Structures are given as structure tokens and as C-alpha cells.
Amino acid sequence: MIRTIAVLTMREALSRRILAALVGLTLLVAAATAWGFAKVAEVGGAQSIVTLSLITSQLLVMVMFMFSFVLGMTAVFIASPAIAGDVESGVALALLARPIRRAELLAGKWLGNVVVLVAYAIAGGALELAVVRATTGYVPPEPVAFLLYLAGETVIGVTLAILLSTFVPPMAGGAIAVVCFGLVWIAGVASSIGELLSNDTLVRVGVVTRLLLPTDGLWRGAVFSLEPVALVAAAGRATALAGNPFLSTAAPPPQFIAWCVVWTIVVLGGATLVFRTREL
């Protein structure tokens, strides 16, 4: 039953105009960035390969930050109506009148949205990496890890949206999730500045917020996977670079990745519990 609901959810997500518009915009942005990176390669042709790699990697991080932000918003606004929309329209009541448990409905909605949005994340990220390689010759140290971090961010975003969808209207859930993403990213920047200033309070704020919502920690991993080894080594020696929000000197530890899995399971369990007790 979960598989059937997931397939129906995937079809519904693919039929939405917002996803089609985003695919079109992604292709347009890829074409625009191809032109931009080609110009960077022309201007930097007289520079050393190391210098060109540093410039390209930082521009790529900024482009991918924009893509990551759009990806997060897409996950939120596509998944937010998953439960709340069906409850408001009466579809959930009709489905649950059949031998379908609420947990199965929620799991199917979550799975269907995750499959569609993770596929979009990986395809969009891989397209941009291919564009950069074709125009500048630069290949990030860990492109596969980068795509996996993007996929992880997407899963976290969908899971949060599903939870909010069980007790608030779709628009409210989307707005709350957007604010949460923004606050976590700001807390991550504050944590970086705290490391620079040796301020333990700011560092703890970043750690706590990354545990509450792991998106920023995964983004830091994505940044690290895009940076050349020379830049990471230079950043490790220059403490003044520690506050740069577009720079990461280390990948998330395995414990954090494990926490992301636990977080997803716990939040899905909480969403199931809330949905079970909700009146339709």
C-alpha cells in the first residue's frame, strides 16, 4: 500500500507546474553559468592551474548555494500540502475510509516526494558539475559526495515539511520551514565567526541548531566536497578565513551523518503520531 501511495504521489508531484518551471529554470541557469564559467576560463587562462581552480571552486560554491536554497524551498513547498492539502480537500478522509492506515498514507507521501525531489537534486547538481567541467576543466575532489549531501538536504527538507503538514495548513508549513532553514544557516555562519573569535557560546549555538535541523551541517559537507585540496589546506593555516560562510575545512563526521538518519526516523515517527491523533 505504501508503494501505491508513493507512486500516486510521484505522479502528482511530476504533474505540478512548479516542478516543470523549476526544471526549465535549472536548464536556463545551467546555460547562463556555462557562459559565465567559460568567460572565467578565458580571463584566467594566463593564471596558474591552481589559481584557476581556486577561483572556479569558489564561484561553483556560490552557484550551488543558490541551487541548494532553491532545492530546499522546492522540497518544502511541494511536500507541505502532502497531508494538510488532502485533509482540507477531503481526499484523506476518502482514502482512510478504505483499509489504509494513516501511517501508510504518510509514509507513501513521504517516499513519493523524496524520490522525485532527490532525483531532481542529483540531476540538477550533476548537470552543473558537468557544465563546469566542460567550460573550465575543473572537477571537484568529491563530486559523488557532493551529490549525496544535496540528496541528504532534500530528504531533511521533505521530512520537516511532512511533519509540519500534519498539524498546520500548507502555506503556514512552508513559511515555517523557510524560516527554520534561514535561522539554521545564520546560526551556522555565527558558529563560524565564533570559531574565529574563540567564542564558545556562538560555537555551541551552531552545534545545537545543526542537531535540531541538520541542513546546514550537510551543506557544509557539500561545500567541503567542492573545494580543492589547496584551498582547504590554506584555510586550515589562515584562521582569518574561518568565518567565511562559503568555506568548509572539514567534512561532517560519521556521527553527524548517523544523526541525520536518526533525525529523519524520529521526525517521521513524530509526524505519524501527530497524524494518528488528528481529527479529519
Side-chain angles (χ1 to χ4, degrees):
M1 188 57 67
I2 293 176
R3 179 181 177 182
T4 301
I5 296 172
V7 171
L8 293 175
T9 302
M10 290 167 58
R11 290 177 181 174
E12 180 183 359
L14 292 172
S15 66
R16 290 185 179 177
R17 294 182 180 179
I18 183 174
L19 191 60
L22 283 171
V23 171
L25 287 173
T26 300
L27 295 175
L28 182 62
V29 169
T33 54
W35 178 85
F37 278 109
K39 292 299 180 182
V40 169
E42 290 177 6
V43 173
Q47 305 292 330
S48 67
I49 296 177
V50 174
T51 301
L52 181 59
S53 296
L54 293 176
I55 295 172
T56 302
S57 67
Q58 289 304 285
L59 290 175
L60 178 60
V61 167
M62 288 188 283
V63 170
M64 286 306 188
F65 173 74
M66 179 188 69
F67 179 68
S68 174
F69 180 79
V70 171
L71 181 61
M73 299 307 99
T74 303
V76 165
F77 285 107
I78 286 184
S80 288
I83 302 298
D86 285 355
V87 171
E88 291 181 354
S89 64
V91 172
L93 189 61
L95 287 173
L96 294 172
R98 303 177 183 184
I100 300 176
R101 294 182 296 176
R102 295 193 183 193
E104 292 175 333
L105 177 62
L106 186 140
K109 292 282 187 178
W110 176 83
L111 181 59
N113 281 296
V114 162
V115 170
V116 171
L117 291 168
V118 165
Y120 168 66
I122 292 177
L127 175 62
E128 192 61 41
L129 293 180
V131 164
V132 172
R133 180 177 181 178
T135 53
T136 67
Y138 176 71
V139 178
E142 301 179 43
V144 175
F146 167 73
L147 296 177
L148 291 177
Y149 283 125
L150 275 187
E153 284 189 73
T154 304
V155 173
I156 296 295
V158 171
T159 305
L160 176 62
I162 290 290
L163 171 64
L164 294 171
S165 184
T166 59
F167 60 90
V168 295
M171 289 301 295
I176 293 171
V178 169
V179 171
C180 289
F181 289 152
L183 289 176
V184 169
W185 185 76
I186 292 172
V189 175
S191 178
S192 298
I193 296 173
E195 293 177 5
L196 175 63
L197 301 177
S198 299
N199 188 314
D200 292 338
T201 301
L202 289 178
V203 173
R204 290 194 192 99
V205 168
V207 172
V208 171
T209 53
R210 287 173 190 169
L211 292 177
L212 292 175
L213 185 60
T215 50
D216 184 67
L218 291 171
W219 165 245
R220 297 285 171 172
V223 171
F224 178 77
S225 65
L226 293 177
E227 296 168 338
V229 176
L231 179 60
V232 175
R237 294 191 299 267
T239 55
L241 295 175
N244 186 347
F246 298 107
L247 182 66
S248 180
T249 57
Q255 295 88 337
F256 180 79
I257 303 302
W259 168 247
C260 292
V261 176
V262 172
W263 185 94
T264 302
I265 295 171
V266 170
V267 173
L268 272 179
T272 303
L273 180 62
V274 173
F275 189 39
R276 280 177 178 174
T277 58
R278 176 174 180 174
E279 293 184 5
L280 300 181

